Amino acid sequence: MTKIKVGIVGTGFIGPAHIEALRRLPNIDVAALCEVTIELAEAKAKQLGIGRWYTFEDLLKQEDIQCVHICTPNFLHYSQSKAALLAGKHVVCEKPLAKDLHEAEELVALAAKTGLVNAVHFNLRYYPLVRQMKTMREKGDLGEIYSIIGSYLQDWLFYNTDYNWRLEPDKSGDSRAIADIGSHLLDVIEYITGLKTVEVMADFNTVHKVRKKPLKPVETYSGKMLQPEDYADVHINTEDHANVLLRFDNGNRGCVTVSQVSAGRKNQLKLEISGSNKTFAFNSESPNEMWIGNRDQANQVLMRDPSLAYPEATALMTFPGGHNEGFSDTSKQLFKEVYAAVEAGKQPENPKYPTFADGYRELLICERILDSTRSQQWVKI
């Protein structure tokens, strides 16, 4: 077997998560990584067991590297994805695809022109029971969709001493909670339901208007605390919490709540989709269960089990029922589909995986949500 050689760009929280998932695929060789300095790249490569390390420009010069994963802060996604495409590399980019719609539109056009494989890491589509819900909806089990209720809650920015580059708009963009995790939720809603969000009404809240920025490095999600003299006050103008009302193209409604200051919620995406036949409910912190609500018979709980699911969902299951699969498996399953396309050498006509066009779509929704919270009125998409 000839393995596809991959380069990883950025080694913060998500870069190593990509590496771990890629290493579980038999046809992938994570051959190289890059960082902002060659010294940091060398240190990270040795820590992660990768044999080659470069700066970004030198990584793109490596002819044997076929695909690169952009795992850097948001403000670098556009320039690095563009450079990688122009260098003839297939690209998997973290979300958001870019900082604004113009950048994202350019990337979509460039990717189409090159014909190279392009994907955005909306990995939460790849919980098997998320695809089960999508497939059940497609087969008519759900019926006409009446309403959608969703939330994505975390607590890693709960304290005013919690700090990360995502709090700085020049690095992450003008939206934080919605762009960072709300984009996953909004993507999953449209993916499962097949509906398009056509209008939004948003209300943002910044709970900690001043945060304590550490003067020493603290890793994402580490929970480490420093001494009072190790912090500097920073004024915050991106949202800790957001509520959004949604209108869909079938004429019905939904609402979502996104928060990064909900104590005890580590990384919880919840969905409840009510149709004319049934209601589906899913909680990403219990990803091997799906609740099915009925009006005239007992409710059900479907356990993730290849023998009980539709074939479309079974394709995302590696282990038998009762052998739990979770967050890390979602990236593996996404990459499995992406690298089937890389092996073929081009973007398929109708890829199953989320593409740059999907990245543009979520950026569009997030920008309209921003417009709504600023104007405090309904905004069309």
Side-chain angles (χ1 to χ4, degrees), residues 266-278:
K266 303 305 177 186
N267 190 49
Q268 184 197 68
L269 180 149
K270 287 183 74 175
L271 266 180
E272 188 152 318
I273 304 170
S274 295
S276 56
N277 295 337
K278 299 177 182 295

Side-chain angles (χ1 to χ4, degrees), residues 157-158 160 167 169 174-177 203-211 234-243 258-261 370 373:
L157 293 173
F158 179 71
N160 70 347
L167 292 154
D174 292 335
S175 170
R176 178 180 17 111
D203 188 29
F204 286 7
N205 185 31
T206 304
V207 174
H208 297 303
K209 294 176 175 57
V210 176
R211 285 182 179 267
V234 173
H235 291 273
I236 303 297
N237 54 18
T238 55
E239 76 279 7
D240 292 314
H241 178 277
N243 296 311
V258 176
S259 173
Q260 294 178 318
V261 290
L370 262 174
T373 196

Side-chain angles (χ1 to χ4, degrees), residues 79 134 185 230 280 311 365:
S79 61
K134 172 184 171 64
L185 176 60
D230 295 326
F280 296 163
I365 296 173

